[in-house]
Amino acid sequence: MRLLIPAVERSQDTRVGAAAWHQEAQAKIQKACQVTERCAQDAVTMWQPKDSMLDPHMASHLRRAAHIQPWRFCVEMLKGGGMSEKPPPGEGVTLWKSKMKPPVWHARLPLPLNRDALALQTAELVHTHARGARLTAARLAHAQEQINGQLRRLQRQREATDYRLSEVRKGLLINQQSVKLRGYRPKSEKVPDKADSMLTWEKEELKNMKRKMEKDMEKSEAMLKTLATCHDTLAFYCKERLQAVDLMNQPLIKVLGQAGRYSWVNLSRASTPRIQGEKTPPPDPVGTYTPECAIELYEAKRLLMESKDTLQEMAKNVEDIRERQQQTGDRVCASLAQKMRETSELKERMNMALGLMRGTIHRCTKFNHEMYITRDLIKGPLSKNYLETREKLDRPLVRVHQRHVGTQLAEAKRLAQSTDELQRHISHLEKNLEGLLAKRKNLAYSLHCKMIGQDLDSDVVRLRLRQRHPHVRCQQAQGLVNDWDPRTPVRIESSANPQ
């Protein structure tokens, strides 16, 4: 502000001092007034922002009114005839009583309470960082907990898959036992049949199941390692964030609840739109929610979705393979049971044929014995002393008859012819009897082979039903294959084979 000093109106003649002395004093006063005005203007300029400086070309009584005019509320006319007053947009302090909203004051110089203000600002920054660190740690901890739960579920599913894989391997061992046990059948019973085809088909099916289960085990093992790595990384980031928090007097779930981020509790849950609550902060390399945390949380969410699909697929495969293995085993047992029924029918027919053949052999043997007796009777006695009177050729009547020419008796010739014919019939009957005995021996051997085959098939069915029980483990079946019972019926060799 310019200081005006009233000039002393004195005539030049009445001045006592010299003119140069007066001019020097006036110059000093003028310079002091200019310095005072400049310093005052600089002081005012330092304490107010640039955009709020008064217009020097405007009258002094209009400058204040023009300066506070943008601060006043805006009046709007409504359709019903009323009025509504709204504060002007932008930052500032709203004074509802005076209906004004001054802008935010930006001082160019530090205020007297600058030290306290900076301390409060630093404390607020520290508190904000601690709250952000605690919030991020809460989210990381819950993500870690979900990954841990998924690890436990995947481990349990792996145990179920491993148990089913052991059952499939046990099925392969049972199939090997069945084939090995059926290999003890006689040679005549080893003709390839549908039971052998069913055992081969079961072996191929079990191998396919085994490959599928092993693939699931490998896939789950890779997923388990990935989840474990993600779990360790989340634990490291969570521990790193918790180092910025000295005292956590609230549980993490409550921290997330106060922040309004219930969707952070469950990574697989979709984010629900909420008016209140904090939004997901953008990744900040120097903040608490770094891009590494964001990437790791996204990776955890992706792994959760992928592991859920893997768990569903593994559970479905376990159930399908259990049903397929049960159906395959039932079909093999059904084919073996059908083979046993067919063997039983053939045994009954062979037994009936043996009975008929036995009666025929008895009759032929008796008839042959009678023919031998007849031949001996026709041949007559071996000594002349055992001849009866009517059989002697030197009796008187025969001697008289033989004296005439051409009157030779044919008794001896006809006896010889009858004996030869009877001997031919005896030889033919003995040959037929030998054929019957050979056929009977062959049929008896076949019946014995059928009995052995039926017993072995029955043993195979009983073995399969006993070995596939859940209480029988794969190691027991493996021990049974390695340490085969020496009491297993030996193979029938060719010593008893039919001719």
Side-chain angles (χ1 to χ4, degrees), residues 8-19 22-23 26:
V8 180
E9 296 181 359
R10 295 177 182 272
S11 61
Q12 297 294 333
D13 298 337
T14 60
R15 290 180 177 177
V16 177
H22 280 283
Q23 290 178 0
Q26 289 293 336

Side-chain angles (χ1 to χ4, degrees), residues 457-471:
D457 289 338
S458 176
D459 294 339
V460 169
V461 173
R462 186 169 62 253
L463 176 68
R464 294 177 64 87
L465 295 178
R466 184 177 67 251
Q467 291 292 321
R468 74 177 185 180
H469 196 274
H471 292 169

Side-chain angles (χ1 to χ4, degrees), residues 169-283:
R169 290 172 177 168
K170 187 178 73 174
L172 285 171
L173 294 175
I174 294 174
N175 181 272
Q176 182 180 355
Q177 294 173 11
S178 302
V179 174
K180 189 172 182 179
L181 188 59
R182 295 197 81 213
Y184 284 88
R185 293 176 299 168
K187 186 176 181 179
S188 61
E189 295 296 317
K190 289 184 178 181
V191 180
D193 52 5
K194 290 184 178 180
D196 297 329
S197 302
M198 290 297 296
L199 287 172
T200 306
W201 171 74
E202 182 193 25
K203 183 178 180 180
E204 296 298 327
E205 288 291 324
L206 290 174
K207 284 184 177 180
N208 295 333
M209 297 178 193
K210 180 183 176 183
R211 286 191 292 267
K212 190 172 183 180
M213 299 300 291
E214 288 177 348
K215 187 182 297 183
D216 287 344
M217 289 294 292
E218 293 176 358
K219 184 177 180 181
S220 62
E221 183 179 2
M223 179 61 65
L224 199 65
K225 292 180 180 179
T226 307
L227 287 174
T229 304
C230 182
H231 178 270
D232 296 340
T233 307
L234 288 173
F236 172 75
Y237 286 153
C238 181
K239 184 178 180 181
E240 187 180 20
R241 296 303 176 277
L242 290 178
Q243 289 177 356
V245 183
D246 295 333
L247 179 61
M248 294 189 65
N249 54 357
Q250 292 179 346
L252 298 180
I253 184 65
K254 190 174 181 181
V255 172
L256 295 177
Q258 289 178 355
R261 300 302 299 172
Y262 293 99
S263 61
W264 284 7
V265 178
N266 192 355
L267 292 177
S268 59
R269 172 184 169 186
S271 299
T272 56
R274 295 177 59 87
I275 299 176
Q276 299 178 356
E278 300 179 6
K279 296 183 179 180
T280 302

Side-chain angles (χ1 to χ4, degrees), residues 39 130-131 190 308 310 358 417 421 427 459:
C39 291
R131 286 194 297 269
K190 289 184 178 181
K308 282 185 179 180
T310 303
R358 189 181 302 111
Q417 291 177 355
E421 184 176 0
S427 301
D459 294 339

Side-chain angles (χ1 to χ4, degrees), residues 62 139 165 398 429 433 487 499:
L62 298 177
R139 186 176 188 186
L165 180 59
V398 173
L429 184 59
L433 190 59
R487 291 174 295 177
Q499 299 297 328

